[in-house]
Amino acid sequence: MLNILVAEDDLRILRLISDFLKNDNYNVYQATNGKEALDIFKKEKISLVILDIMMPIYDGWHVCKEIRKESDIPILILTAKDSDSDELFGFDSGADEYISKPFNPVLLLARVKNLLKRIEVQKQIKKNSDEKQKTNLLNYEDISLDVDNKLMIINNETIELKPKEYDLIVLFIKNKGRLFERENLLDLVWGYDYLGDPRTLDTHINRLRNKLGEKSYLLKTVRGFGYKFGGE
């Protein structure tokens, strides 16, 4: 159940808004002045704030600006002022929505749902972006591979790789500890129909080992068999 803070000094309006929100299964915290609103915000996990402007102690503008210093939760301004300049000032203060009194409670509830839905969509987009970033990084010890840009990163140093060098290190990291025979590596990286000099594998291995620098010990030559990366 989401927590909504309603700050309104008119008790009749406060009860009206609270009842509509509770009937839609929201948990409502009530404040009748700006100080009380900020105290509740700092103490509770609030998902959305509905703010009246003309409140005692701190007005809604002040409360809105203070909340924006700490959070990007949705803020809906509710006020008797309805001029364009007041509305622009509300948005400049960090408000997400602006509803003038008198208002339709059904419309207010619709705005609340829309704001909360928008936040959920933004969270999902960020989550998907983070997951994509994770899947596009292949890591082993202090080595990271930027899959999108085909780069190797070791201790924050970016190292460019030739295409076959990149294919080799990807194969090695995905199969760390596995012993690859030379012919097997040629088939997997160069293709089964490769008819070139098999010594090209040794050349690419040596170049890759040089680019690994202090991590070159991870790429091991097993005489008479082939190569392995990492593992015991």
Side-chain angles (χ1 to χ4, degrees), residues 38-68:
L38 286 175
D39 290 342
I40 293 172
F41 167 75
K42 292 176 181 178
K43 188 191 308 182
E44 307 295 340
K45 187 177 180 180
I46 302 298
S47 298
L48 180 142
V49 181
I50 298 175
L51 279 179
D52 179 40
I53 295 303
M54 304 303 291
M55 291 189 298
I57 306 181
Y58 302 137
D59 64 18
W61 302 132
H62 178 84
V63 175
C64 184
K65 290 177 180 178
E66 289 300 308
I67 290 176
R68 275 292 169 261

PDB file of all heavy atoms in Angstrom, residues 38-68:
ATOM      1  N   LEU A  38       6.351  18.632   6.537  1.00  0.00           N
ATOM      2  CA  LEU A  38       7.770  18.291   6.404  1.00  0.00           C
ATOM      3  C   LEU A  38       8.192  17.249   7.436  1.00  0.00           C
ATOM      4  O   LEU A  38       8.994  16.351   7.131  1.00  0.00           O
ATOM      5  CB  LEU A  38       8.632  19.543   6.548  1.00  0.00           C
ATOM      6  CG  LEU A  38       8.621  20.501   5.353  1.00  0.00           C
ATOM      7  CD1 LEU A  38       9.418  21.762   5.661  1.00  0.00           C
ATOM      8  CD2 LEU A  38       9.178  19.810   4.103  1.00  0.00           C
ATOM      9  N   ASP A  39       7.658  17.360   8.646  1.00  0.00           N
ATOM     10  CA  ASP A  39       7.979  16.372   9.682  1.00  0.00           C
ATOM     11  C   ASP A  39       7.528  14.975   9.264  1.00  0.00           C
ATOM     12  O   ASP A  39       8.259  13.988   9.433  1.00  0.00           O
ATOM     13  CB  ASP A  39       7.323  16.758  11.009  1.00  0.00           C
ATOM     14  CG  ASP A  39       7.960  17.984  11.651  1.00  0.00           C
ATOM     15  OD1 ASP A  39       9.102  18.315  11.261  1.00  0.00           O
ATOM     16  OD2 ASP A  39       7.315  18.607  12.518  1.00  0.00           O
ATOM     17  N   ILE A  40       6.323  14.886   8.720  1.00  0.00           N
ATOM     18  CA  ILE A  40       5.808  13.583   8.273  1.00  0.00           C
ATOM     19  C   ILE A  40       6.638  13.065   7.109  1.00  0.00           C
ATOM     20  O   ILE A  40       6.993  11.878   7.057  1.00  0.00           O
ATOM     21  CB  ILE A  40       4.322  13.699   7.872  1.00  0.00           C
ATOM     22  CG1 ILE A  40       3.465  13.992   9.106  1.00  0.00           C
ATOM     23  CG2 ILE A  40       3.844  12.416   7.188  1.00  0.00           C
ATOM     24  CD1 ILE A  40       2.013  14.307   8.787  1.00  0.00           C
ATOM     25  N   PHE A  41       6.956  13.936   6.167  1.00  0.00           N
ATOM     26  CA  PHE A  41       7.742  13.525   5.002  1.00  0.00           C
ATOM     27  C   PHE A  41       9.090  12.939   5.426  1.00  0.00           C
ATOM     28  O   PHE A  41       9.544  11.932   4.871  1.00  0.00           O
ATOM     29  CB  PHE A  41       7.964  14.711   4.071  1.00  0.00           C
ATOM     30  CG  PHE A  41       9.009  14.470   3.025  1.00  0.00           C
ATOM     31  CD1 PHE A  41       8.731  13.667   1.923  1.00  0.00           C
ATOM     32  CD2 PHE A  41      10.284  15.009   3.154  1.00  0.00           C
ATOM     33  CE1 PHE A  41       9.707  13.412   0.966  1.00  0.00           C
ATOM     34  CE2 PHE A  41      11.255  14.763   2.203  1.00  0.00           C
ATOM     35  CZ  PHE A  41      10.970  13.968   1.108  1.00  0.00           C
ATOM     36  N   LYS A  42       9.741  13.555   6.408  1.00  0.00           N
ATOM     37  CA  LYS A  42      11.057  13.095   6.844  1.00  0.00           C
ATOM     38  C   LYS A  42      10.983  11.798   7.652  1.00  0.00           C
ATOM     39  O   LYS A  42      11.947  11.035   7.690  1.00  0.00           O
ATOM     40  CB  LYS A  42      11.738  14.186   7.667  1.00  0.00           C
ATOM     41  CG  LYS A  42      12.107  15.416   6.843  1.00  0.00           C
ATOM     42  CD  LYS A  42      12.689  16.523   7.704  1.00  0.00           C
ATOM     43  CE  LYS A  42      13.019  17.749   6.859  1.00  0.00           C
ATOM     44  NZ  LYS A  42      13.551  18.868   7.670  1.00  0.00           N
ATOM     45  N   LYS A  43       9.836  11.549   8.260  1.00  0.00           N
ATOM     46  CA  LYS A  43       9.695  10.379   9.120  1.00  0.00           C
ATOM     47  C   LYS A  43       9.164   9.157   8.370  1.00  0.00           C
ATOM     48  O   LYS A  43       9.582   8.034   8.628  1.00  0.00           O
ATOM     49  CB  LYS A  43       8.742  10.709  10.278  1.00  0.00           C
ATOM     50  CG  LYS A  43       8.679   9.613  11.355  1.00  0.00           C
ATOM     51  CD  LYS A  43       7.539   9.850  12.339  1.00  0.00           C
ATOM     52  CE  LYS A  43       7.567  11.256  12.909  1.00  0.00           C
ATOM     53  NZ  LYS A  43       6.475  11.454  13.920  1.00  0.00           N
ATOM     54  N   GLU A  44       8.250   9.370   7.438  1.00  0.00           N
ATOM     55  CA  GLU A  44       7.578   8.263   6.767  1.00  0.00           C
ATOM     56  C   GLU A  44       8.072   8.091   5.330  1.00  0.00           C
ATOM     57  O   GLU A  44       8.642   9.008   4.742  1.00  0.00           O
ATOM     58  CB  GLU A  44       6.055   8.492   6.745  1.00  0.00           C
ATOM     59  CG  GLU A  44       5.450   8.769   8.109  1.00  0.00           C
ATOM     60  CD  GLU A  44       5.561   7.586   9.057  1.00  0.00           C
ATOM     61  OE1 GLU A  44       5.745   6.450   8.572  1.00  0.00           O
ATOM     62  OE2 GLU A  44       5.474   7.797  10.280  1.00  0.00           O
ATOM     63  N   LYS A  45       7.823   6.921   4.772  1.00  0.00           N
ATOM     64  CA  LYS A  45       8.171   6.650   3.379  1.00  0.00           C
ATOM     65  C   LYS A  45       6.996   7.064   2.498  1.00  0.00           C
ATOM     66  O   LYS A  45       6.076   6.293   2.252  1.00  0.00           O
ATOM     67  CB  LYS A  45       8.485   5.169   3.186  1.00  0.00           C
ATOM     68  CG  LYS A  45       9.020   4.841   1.802  1.00  0.00           C
ATOM     69  CD  LYS A  45       9.380   3.374   1.686  1.00  0.00           C
ATOM     70  CE  LYS A  45       9.915   3.061   0.291  1.00  0.00           C
ATOM     71  NZ  LYS A  45      10.279   1.626   0.145  1.00  0.00           N
ATOM     72  N   ILE A  46       7.046   8.301   2.010  1.00  0.00           N
ATOM     73  CA  ILE A  46       5.940   8.880   1.257  1.00  0.00           C
ATOM     74  C   ILE A  46       6.166   8.670  -0.239  1.00  0.00           C
ATOM     75  O   ILE A  46       7.264   8.886  -0.750  1.00  0.00           O
ATOM     76  CB  ILE A  46       5.793  10.383   1.564  1.00  0.00           C
ATOM     77  CG1 ILE A  46       5.584  10.596   3.079  1.00  0.00           C
ATOM     78  CG2 ILE A  46       4.650  10.987   0.768  1.00  0.00           C
ATOM     79  CD1 ILE A  46       4.329   9.966   3.628  1.00  0.00           C
ATOM     80  N   SER A  47       5.110   8.260  -0.944  1.00  0.00           N
ATOM     81  CA  SER A  47       5.205   8.017  -2.385  1.00  0.00           C
ATOM     82  C   SER A  47       4.740   9.202  -3.214  1.00  0.00           C
ATOM     83  O   SER A  47       5.172   9.373  -4.359  1.00  0.00           O
ATOM     84  CB  SER A  47       4.373   6.787  -2.771  1.00  0.00           C
ATOM     85  OG  SER A  47       4.863   5.636  -2.139  1.00  0.00           O
ATOM     86  N   LEU A  48       3.854  10.037  -2.640  1.00  0.00           N
ATOM     87  CA  LEU A  48       3.317  11.199  -3.361  1.00  0.00           C
ATOM     88  C   LEU A  48       2.817  12.213  -2.344  1.00  0.00           C
ATOM     89  O   LEU A  48       2.339  11.839  -1.266  1.00  0.00           O
ATOM     90  CB  LEU A  48       2.183  10.762  -4.291  1.00  0.00           C
ATOM     91  CG  LEU A  48       1.503  11.843  -5.139  1.00  0.00           C
ATOM     92  CD1 LEU A  48       1.158  11.293  -6.529  1.00  0.00           C
ATOM     93  CD2 LEU A  48       0.223  12.362  -4.463  1.00  0.00           C
ATOM     94  N   VAL A  49       2.918  13.497  -2.703  1.00  0.00           N
ATOM     95  CA  VAL A  49       2.486  14.580  -1.800  1.00  0.00           C
ATOM     96  C   VAL A  49       1.462  15.456  -2.506  1.00  0.00           C
ATOM     97  O   VAL A  49       1.654  15.847  -3.658  1.00  0.00           O
ATOM     98  CB  VAL A  49       3.677  15.448  -1.357  1.00  0.00           C
ATOM     99  CG1 VAL A  49       3.207  16.554  -0.412  1.00  0.00           C
ATOM    100  CG2 VAL A  49       4.742  14.597  -0.675  1.00  0.00           C
ATOM    101  N   ILE A  50       0.367  15.735  -1.816  1.00  0.00           N
ATOM    102  CA  ILE A  50      -0.621  16.711  -2.276  1.00  0.00           C
ATOM    103  C   ILE A  50      -0.513  17.914  -1.351  1.00  0.00           C
ATOM    104  O   ILE A  50      -0.716  17.798  -0.141  1.00  0.00           O
ATOM    105  CB  ILE A  50      -2.054  16.132  -2.235  1.00  0.00           C
ATOM    106  CG1 ILE A  50      -2.153  14.925  -3.167  1.00  0.00           C
ATOM    107  CG2 ILE A  50      -3.075  17.200  -2.634  1.00  0.00           C
ATOM    108  CD1 ILE A  50      -3.496  14.211  -3.105  1.00  0.00           C
ATOM    109  N   LEU A  51      -0.188  19.079  -1.921  1.00  0.00           N
ATOM    110  CA  LEU A  51       0.130  20.265  -1.119  1.00  0.00           C
ATOM    111  C   LEU A  51      -0.827  21.412  -1.399  1.00  0.00           C
ATOM    112  O   LEU A  51      -0.993  21.831  -2.551  1.00  0.00           O
ATOM    113  CB  LEU A  51       1.545  20.761  -1.438  1.00  0.00           C
ATOM    114  CG  LEU A  51       2.748  20.083  -0.790  1.00  0.00           C
ATOM    115  CD1 LEU A  51       4.020  20.740  -1.302  1.00  0.00           C
ATOM    116  CD2 LEU A  51       2.671  20.172   0.723  1.00  0.00           C
ATOM    117  N   ASP A  52      -1.433  21.934  -0.351  1.00  0.00           N
ATOM    118  CA  ASP A  52      -2.123  23.216  -0.449  1.00  0.00           C
ATOM    119  C   ASP A  52      -1.069  24.317  -0.338  1.00  0.00           C
ATOM    120  O   ASP A  52      -0.033  24.137   0.317  1.00  0.00           O
ATOM    121  CB  ASP A  52      -3.156  23.337   0.664  1.00  0.00           C
ATOM    122  CG  ASP A  52      -3.890  24.667   0.623  1.00  0.00           C
ATOM    123  OD1 ASP A  52      -4.202  25.114  -0.502  1.00  0.00           O
ATOM    124  OD2 ASP A  52      -4.122  25.258   1.691  1.00  0.00           O
ATOM    125  N   ILE A  53      -1.303  25.444  -0.994  1.00  0.00           N
ATOM    126  CA  ILE A  53      -0.320  26.530  -0.949  1.00  0.00           C
ATOM    127  C   ILE A  53      -0.462  27.378   0.314  1.00  0.00           C
ATOM    128  O   ILE A  53       0.505  27.613   1.025  1.00  0.00           O
ATOM    129  CB  ILE A  53      -0.443  27.426  -2.197  1.00  0.00           C
ATOM    130  CG1 ILE A  53      -0.068  26.617  -3.450  1.00  0.00           C
ATOM    131  CG2 ILE A  53       0.481  28.642  -2.088  1.00  0.00           C
ATOM    132  CD1 ILE A  53       1.307  26.011  -3.396  1.00  0.00           C
ATOM    133  N   MET A  54      -1.662  27.819   0.601  1.00  0.00           N
ATOM    134  CA  MET A  54      -1.869  28.746   1.717  1.00  0.00           C
ATOM    135  C   MET A  54      -2.037  27.980   3.024  1.00  0.00           C
ATOM    136  O   MET A  54      -3.139  27.678   3.470  1.00  0.00           O
ATOM    137  CB  MET A  54      -3.091  29.615   1.442  1.00  0.00           C
ATOM    138  CG  MET A  54      -3.029  30.379   0.125  1.00  0.00           C
ATOM    139  SD  MET A  54      -1.572  31.441  -0.018  1.00  0.00           S
ATOM    140  CE  MET A  54      -1.966  32.680   1.210  1.00  0.00           C
ATOM    141  N   MET A  55      -0.908  27.641   3.650  1.00  0.00           N
ATOM    142  CA  MET A  55      -0.908  26.916   4.922  1.00  0.00           C
ATOM    143  C   MET A  55      -0.150  27.701   5.980  1.00  0.00           C
ATOM    144  O   MET A  55       0.748  28.481   5.651  1.00  0.00           O
ATOM    145  CB  MET A  55      -0.265  25.535   4.748  1.00  0.00           C
ATOM    146  CG  MET A  55      -1.056  24.549   3.930  1.00  0.00           C
ATOM    147  SD  MET A  55      -0.327  22.883   4.019  1.00  0.00           S
ATOM    148  CE  MET A  55       1.299  23.182   3.285  1.00  0.00           C
ATOM    149  N   PRO A  56      -0.474  27.486   7.259  1.00  0.00           N
ATOM    150  CA  PRO A  56       0.253  28.147   8.350  1.00  0.00           C
ATOM    151  C   PRO A  56       1.695  27.653   8.463  1.00  0.00           C
ATOM    152  O   PRO A  56       2.045  26.592   7.960  1.00  0.00           O
ATOM    153  CB  PRO A  56      -0.548  27.762   9.605  1.00  0.00           C
ATOM    154  CG  PRO A  56      -1.863  27.255   9.110  1.00  0.00           C
ATOM    155  CD  PRO A  56      -1.604  26.686   7.756  1.00  0.00           C
ATOM    156  N   ILE A  57       2.508  28.441   9.160  1.00  0.00           N
ATOM    157  CA  ILE A  57       3.924  28.174   9.468  1.00  0.00           C
ATOM    158  C   ILE A  57       4.768  28.167   8.180  1.00  0.00           C
ATOM    159  O   ILE A  57       5.527  29.103   7.957  1.00  0.00           O
ATOM    160  CB  ILE A  57       4.116  26.865  10.254  1.00  0.00           C
ATOM    161  CG1 ILE A  57       3.233  26.866  11.521  1.00  0.00           C
ATOM    162  CG2 ILE A  57       5.597  26.697  10.637  1.00  0.00           C
ATOM    163  CD1 ILE A  57       3.366  25.627  12.369  1.00  0.00           C
ATOM    164  N   TYR A  58       4.680  27.123   7.378  1.00  0.00           N
ATOM    165  CA  TYR A  58       5.344  27.098   6.072  1.00  0.00           C
ATOM    166  C   TYR A  58       4.286  26.960   4.995  1.00  0.00           C
ATOM    167  O   TYR A  58       3.396  26.104   5.106  1.00  0.00           O
ATOM    168  CB  TYR A  58       6.322  25.931   5.941  1.00  0.00           C
ATOM    169  CG  TYR A  58       7.418  25.894   6.966  1.00  0.00           C
ATOM    170  CD1 TYR A  58       7.776  24.694   7.571  1.00  0.00           C
ATOM    171  CD2 TYR A  58       8.124  27.045   7.318  1.00  0.00           C
ATOM    172  CE1 TYR A  58       8.793  24.640   8.511  1.00  0.00           C
ATOM    173  CE2 TYR A  58       9.133  26.995   8.257  1.00  0.00           C
ATOM    174  CZ  TYR A  58       9.467  25.796   8.857  1.00  0.00           C
ATOM    175  OH  TYR A  58      10.466  25.745   9.779  1.00  0.00           O
ATOM    176  N   ASP A  59       4.380  27.775   3.939  1.00  0.00           N
ATOM    177  CA  ASP A  59       3.398  27.603   2.857  1.00  0.00           C
ATOM    178  C   ASP A  59       3.816  26.447   1.942  1.00  0.00           C
ATOM    179  O   ASP A  59       4.879  25.851   2.096  1.00  0.00           O
ATOM    180  CB  ASP A  59       3.213  28.907   2.075  1.00  0.00           C
ATOM    181  CG  ASP A  59       4.474  29.360   1.338  1.00  0.00           C
ATOM    182  OD1 ASP A  59       5.381  28.526   1.142  1.00  0.00           O
ATOM    183  OD2 ASP A  59       4.549  30.542   0.962  1.00  0.00           O
ATOM    184  N   GLY A  60       2.954  26.138   0.992  1.00  0.00           N
ATOM    185  CA  GLY A  60       3.199  25.002   0.110  1.00  0.00           C
ATOM    186  C   GLY A  60       4.437  25.153  -0.754  1.00  0.00           C
ATOM    187  O   GLY A  60       5.115  24.167  -1.047  1.00  0.00           O
ATOM    188  N   TRP A  61       4.737  26.397  -1.168  1.00  0.00           N
ATOM    189  CA  TRP A  61       5.936  26.626  -1.987  1.00  0.00           C
ATOM    190  C   TRP A  61       7.185  26.198  -1.211  1.00  0.00           C
ATOM    191  O   TRP A  61       8.070  25.530  -1.763  1.00  0.00           O
ATOM    192  CB  TRP A  61       6.067  28.092  -2.381  1.00  0.00           C
ATOM    193  CG  TRP A  61       4.932  28.705  -3.130  1.00  0.00           C
ATOM    194  CD1 TRP A  61       4.320  29.908  -2.868  1.00  0.00           C
ATOM    195  CD2 TRP A  61       4.252  28.182  -4.284  1.00  0.00           C
ATOM    196  NE1 TRP A  61       3.323  30.150  -3.763  1.00  0.00           N
ATOM    197  CE2 TRP A  61       3.255  29.113  -4.649  1.00  0.00           C
ATOM    198  CE3 TRP A  61       4.393  27.025  -5.027  1.00  0.00           C
ATOM    199  CZ2 TRP A  61       2.410  28.916  -5.732  1.00  0.00           C
ATOM    200  CZ3 TRP A  61       3.544  26.809  -6.105  1.00  0.00           C
ATOM    201  CH2 TRP A  61       2.573  27.747  -6.447  1.00  0.00           C
ATOM    202  N   HIS A  62       7.241  26.621   0.040  1.00  0.00           N
ATOM    203  CA  HIS A  62       8.396  26.296   0.877  1.00  0.00           C
ATOM    204  C   HIS A  62       8.516  24.780   1.063  1.00  0.00           C
ATOM    205  O   HIS A  62       9.609  24.211   0.940  1.00  0.00           O
ATOM    206  CB  HIS A  62       8.271  26.984   2.233  1.00  0.00           C
ATOM    207  CG  HIS A  62       9.391  26.672   3.188  1.00  0.00           C
ATOM    208  ND1 HIS A  62      10.592  27.344   3.163  1.00  0.00           N
ATOM    209  CD2 HIS A  62       9.503  25.734   4.173  1.00  0.00           C
ATOM    210  CE1 HIS A  62      11.392  26.841   4.099  1.00  0.00           C
ATOM    211  NE2 HIS A  62      10.747  25.870   4.726  1.00  0.00           N
ATOM    212  N   VAL A  63       7.392  24.145   1.364  1.00  0.00           N
ATOM    213  CA  VAL A  63       7.396  22.695   1.574  1.00  0.00           C
ATOM    214  C   VAL A  63       7.846  21.975   0.304  1.00  0.00           C
ATOM    215  O   VAL A  63       8.655  21.053   0.345  1.00  0.00           O
ATOM    216  CB  VAL A  63       6.001  22.200   2.007  1.00  0.00           C
ATOM    217  CG1 VAL A  63       5.981  20.671   2.098  1.00  0.00           C
ATOM    218  CG2 VAL A  63       5.609  22.819   3.339  1.00  0.00           C
ATOM    219  N   CYS A  64       7.339  22.417  -0.832  1.00  0.00           N
ATOM    220  CA  CYS A  64       7.691  21.809  -2.118  1.00  0.00           C
ATOM    221  C   CYS A  64       9.195  21.907  -2.371  1.00  0.00           C
ATOM    222  O   CYS A  64       9.845  20.918  -2.745  1.00  0.00           O
ATOM    223  CB  CYS A  64       6.916  22.495  -3.238  1.00  0.00           C
ATOM    224  SG  CYS A  64       7.158  21.771  -4.880  1.00  0.00           S
ATOM    225  N   LYS A  65       9.763  23.066  -2.155  1.00  0.00           N
ATOM    226  CA  LYS A  65      11.194  23.264  -2.385  1.00  0.00           C
ATOM    227  C   LYS A  65      12.040  22.419  -1.426  1.00  0.00           C
ATOM    228  O   LYS A  65      13.071  21.866  -1.824  1.00  0.00           O
ATOM    229  CB  LYS A  65      11.553  24.743  -2.234  1.00  0.00           C
ATOM    230  CG  LYS A  65      11.011  25.614  -3.361  1.00  0.00           C
ATOM    231  CD  LYS A  65      11.342  27.080  -3.116  1.00  0.00           C
ATOM    232  CE  LYS A  65      10.797  27.959  -4.238  1.00  0.00           C
ATOM    233  NZ  LYS A  65      11.069  29.397  -4.008  1.00  0.00           N
ATOM    234  N   GLU A  66      11.600  22.305  -0.164  1.00  0.00           N
ATOM    235  CA  GLU A  66      12.343  21.509   0.807  1.00  0.00           C
ATOM    236  C   GLU A  66      12.317  20.028   0.451  1.00  0.00           C
ATOM    237  O   GLU A  66      13.325  19.328   0.567  1.00  0.00           O
ATOM    238  CB  GLU A  66      11.767  21.723   2.218  1.00  0.00           C
ATOM    239  CG  GLU A  66      12.047  23.097   2.804  1.00  0.00           C
ATOM    240  CD  GLU A  66      13.532  23.374   2.932  1.00  0.00           C
ATOM    241  OE1 GLU A  66      14.250  22.526   3.519  1.00  0.00           O
ATOM    242  OE2 GLU A  66      13.991  24.418   2.427  1.00  0.00           O
ATOM    243  N   ILE A  67      11.167  19.547   0.009  1.00  0.00           N
ATOM    244  CA  ILE A  67      11.065  18.142  -0.393  1.00  0.00           C
ATOM    245  C   ILE A  67      11.952  17.873  -1.600  1.00  0.00           C
ATOM    246  O   ILE A  67      12.624  16.843  -1.684  1.00  0.00           O
ATOM    247  CB  ILE A  67       9.593  17.776  -0.705  1.00  0.00           C
ATOM    248  CG1 ILE A  67       8.778  17.755   0.585  1.00  0.00           C
ATOM    249  CG2 ILE A  67       9.503  16.416  -1.413  1.00  0.00           C
ATOM    250  CD1 ILE A  67       7.293  17.511   0.372  1.00  0.00           C
ATOM    251  N   ARG A  68      11.980  18.822  -2.538  1.00  0.00           N
ATOM    252  CA  ARG A  68      12.779  18.643  -3.755  1.00  0.00           C
ATOM    253  C   ARG A  68      14.282  18.587  -3.478  1.00  0.00           C
ATOM    254  O   ARG A  68      15.052  18.065  -4.282  1.00  0.00           O
ATOM    255  CB  ARG A  68      12.473  19.756  -4.753  1.00  0.00           C
ATOM    256  CG  ARG A  68      11.283  19.481  -5.614  1.00  0.00           C
ATOM    257  CD  ARG A  68      11.536  18.320  -6.578  1.00  0.00           C
ATOM    258  NE  ARG A  68      10.314  17.883  -7.231  1.00  0.00           N
ATOM    259  CZ  ARG A  68       9.610  16.843  -6.854  1.00  0.00           C
ATOM    260  NH1 ARG A  68      10.004  16.102  -5.834  1.00  0.00           N
ATOM    261  NH2 ARG A  68       8.508  16.500  -7.486  1.00  0.00           N
TER     262      ARG A  68
END
